[in-house]
Amino acid sequence: MTGFYRNGCCDTGPQDQGSHTVCVILTDEFLAMSRYLGNDLTTPRPEFGFPGLKAGDRWCLCASRFLQAAQEFAAPKVVLASTHKRALDVIPLELLKRHAETGTP
């Protein structure tokens, strides 16, 4: 289950220091970058109820990690309708729009 509160939404609040507000569709390229940077999202962690992620999965990403991925040309597609408006505190709207998913799942 994605989201800081593990409710399936990119909701945020005072406890969410990482601003898990950007709804993305994961790509192999982004997952490889994340693993390289020390956050392996692909390996299952059953002790935390985490099945591991793969390309095509939707995930609530930290706004700063999305910005970093965009700067490294590894940003995943963004689902604008599911991205929280607080993402705009970190990411310019135009950048989110450039990476917006345009097709249907």
Side-chain angles (χ1 to χ4, degrees):
M1 185 72 69
T2 192
F4 179 78
Y5 296 106
R6 296 297 189 247
N7 62 359
C9 299
C10 297
D11 294 334
T12 191
Q15 302 88 359
D16 182 11
Q17 298 295 313
S19 186
H20 295 76
T21 52
V22 185
C23 183
V24 300
I25 300 172
L26 296 170
T27 62
D28 288 328
E29 185 176 37
F30 173 79
L31 289 167
M33 185 197 87
S34 187
R35 185 173 42 256
Y36 175 78
L37 294 173
N39 187 18
D40 181 3
L41 297 170
T42 59
T43 300
R45 300 288 307 266
E47 67 272 26
F48 299 116
F50 182 71
L53 301 171
K54 63 186 178 320
D57 288 344
R58 288 187 182 205
W59 191 247
C60 293
L61 190 59
C62 292
S64 60
R65 182 57 60 126
F66 176 84
L67 190 57
Q68 180 182 22
Q71 292 166 343
E72 297 293 329
F73 304 103
K77 290 292 185 183
V78 174
V79 182
L80 286 175
S82 298
T83 294
H84 196 282
K85 66 182 177 181
R86 290 288 307 269
L88 297 173
D89 292 349
V90 178
I91 307 164
L93 179 58
E94 287 306 311
L95 182 59
L96 290 171
K97 285 181 176 180
R98 275 197 301 260
H99 293 280
E101 185 268 334
T102 56
T104 55

